[in-house]
């Protein structure tokens, strides 16, 4: 099913926007912009912004974080038409994650269209985040699987995570996963650990190619970090990933 045909299978406004923009912009690429200064983050978001549907951040690794960074990111999100996904991986009880999402230094709920959560605390984590995120029209991804070697998000853990998503479909828009796990076309599957070269890093990351992830494993979005931002020419490299991801999607539709 085309991304645009899936809009009607979700009621979440962020999921609907994402499906629409992927189809219009013809990209299923997300940049994981894991840099530690504001200037690098803004520069990369501006350079690579035209190629991506989502900019994925780890806001707490930025050394000189300030409110101006968020204003600039919001401006770039509008200029280049991408969503912002703060990869916060919440993992506490509902009452605590509510504060972590809304308050503190980062006020994530005020600017991140999408964030994500581990399911290890049980469904109270979703209920807590939902109280803050739903009124703002935000979307949540659950970590149903991970990309790193030896991770414990497998088997029953994954299956229980899928059930939690189905019970909160208004707010849970999809999964971090290595493959499509549910037939419901309203859920969006996003996969990290993507590189044009398969292999591993020395800290457990395992890389798959865009074609394997999108065509064979039927995921929807490739999340690429070092493969793009460590390249000598991040724009050209991002274009390669964008083309690879989109071609794999088109082959899947045949
Ligand atoms: P890389 O440089 O392409 O390996 O970056 C991958 C990004 O995706 C990085 O920001 C991780 O925090 C993120 N990630 C991941 O690699 N694997 C996972 O299972 C999850 C997130 Br969840």
């Amino acid at each position: 099913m085309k991304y645009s045909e899936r809009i009607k299978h979700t009621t979440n406004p962020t999921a609907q926007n994402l499906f629409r923009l992927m189809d219009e912009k013809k990209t299923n690429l997300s940049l994981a912009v894991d840099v530690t200064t504001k200037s690098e983050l803004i520069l990369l978001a501006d350079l690579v912004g035209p190629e991506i549907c989502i900019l994925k951040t780890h806001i707490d690794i930025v050394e000189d974080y300030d409110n101006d960074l968020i204003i600039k990111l919001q401006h770039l999100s509008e200029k280049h038409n991408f969503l912002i996904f703060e990869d916060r991986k919440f993992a506490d009880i509902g009452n605590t994650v509510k504060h972590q999402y809304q308050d503190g230094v980062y006020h994530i709920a005020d600017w991140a269209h999408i964030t994500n959560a581990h399911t290890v605390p049980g469904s109270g984590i979703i209920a807590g985040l939902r109280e803050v995120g739903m009124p703002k029209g935000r979307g949540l991804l659950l970590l149903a699987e991970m990309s790193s070697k030896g991770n414990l998000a497998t088997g029953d853990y994954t299956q229980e995570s899928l059930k939690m998503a189905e019970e909160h479909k208004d707010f849970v828009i999809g999964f971090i996963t290595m493959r499509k796990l549910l037939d419901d076309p309203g859920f969006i599957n996003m996969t990290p650990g993507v590189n044009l070269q398969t292999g591993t890093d020395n800290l457990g990351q395992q890389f798959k190619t865009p074609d394997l992830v999108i065509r064979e494993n039927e995921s929807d979005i490739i999340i690429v970090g070092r493969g793009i931002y460590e390249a000598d020419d991040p724009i050209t490299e991002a274009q390669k990933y964008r083309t690879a991801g989109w071609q794999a999607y088109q082959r899947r539709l045949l």
Side-chain angles (χ1 to χ4, degrees), residues 32 34 56 58 87 89 143 146-147 176 192 205 207 225-226:
D34 296 336
K56 189 179 82 61
H58 281 300
D87 187 0
K89 299 187 184 72
L143 282 94
M146 291 191 72
S147 63
I176 296 291
Q205 178 68 299
F207 291 112
R226 287 165 286 180

Side-chain angles (χ1 to χ4, degrees), residues 30-34 56-58 61 85 87 89 116 118 142-148 151 176-178 190-195 201 205-207 223-230 241:
S30 167
L31 171 66
V33 66
D34 296 336
K56 189 179 82 61
T57 55
H58 281 300
I61 67 174
F85 165 20
D87 187 0
K89 299 187 184 72
N116 57 356
H118 287 288
L142 297 182
L143 282 94
E145 292 186 329
M146 291 191 72
S147 63
S148 45
N151 79 79
I176 296 291
T177 173
M178 301 300 109
M190 305 191 194
T191 303
V194 176
N195 200 286
D201 69 6
Q205 178 68 299
Q206 307 175 112
F207 291 112
I223 299 174
V224 182
R226 287 165 286 180
I228 293 174
Y229 69 76
E230 282 187 349
Y241 281 93

